[in-house]
Amino acid sequence: MSTSRSLSPAPIQVHRGVSMNRFARAFTIFAAVLGISLTTAQSASANSFGPVFADNGAHSFFLDDDLSSGQKSGMNWARSSSLNPTDMTTSLNKTYNKQVDVWAYGTWKPTGDQTRWYAWAKCVKLVSGSKTKCDQFTIVFNHKLPHSNYKALACHETGHTVGLGHESGKNSSFTSAARSCLRASPDHNYYSNHDKSHINGRY
């Protein structure tokens, strides 16, 4: 990172990052073995909410200067075009402070499973006395693993910061209103109507 900042305590809730396309292929094979259909519409329960989510409906963002132009553009898209149309409100901070809700930055040194992830979101500061409400999240982009669509990837990781879980299936199998950036290997830039209902119901 280009800027040194202190975060405490250690990460509390890590949302598994979006990994390479081989994960999607492996999931399809696994689903086929189990007899799970990926071509039919998914039930409303396909997308989970929580267990950790934003502490309120106002979501402020700080985009570190070590992000690439594509990553910054994707984050701005996710904030203004994917999240803003819900009941949440967003803002963009030009400087970092401890009150910012989402700090997005990049790394050249991913470790462990993160070496296979395009990006990941984690809660780094819970609201005092709460086990579910997060005061600050980070979204970390893996510079060593570029993504072809940073709008979709940023939409995906931003969704985790407001409590959205992964959705199953392929977007090509769904109607436009049911397509979501929360599916594996994000290829859609928006939240589904079901995702928006989760967000609006919470905030």
Side-chain angles (χ1 to χ4, degrees), residues 12-16 47-55 121 123 126-127 130-135 137 159-166 198 202-203:
I12 299 158
Q13 176 72 22
V14 178
H15 287 279
R16 231 181 129 175
N47 173 281
S48 59
F49 193 91
V52 176
F53 47 87
D55 58 340
C123 176
L126 282 172
V127 171
S130 175
K131 294 182 179 180
T132 58
K133 293 183 178 181
C134 186
D135 192 45
F137 284 91
H160 289 322
T161 71
V162 297
L164 294 176
H166 291 140
H198 269 314
R202 175 69 67 177
Y203 303 105

Side-chain angles (χ1 to χ4, degrees), residues 91-104:
S91 59
L92 185 63
N93 289 24
K94 292 186 177 180
T95 58
Y96 176 84
N97 63 68
K98 292 182 179 180
Q99 283 70 49
V100 73
D101 296 304
V102 180
W103 170 24

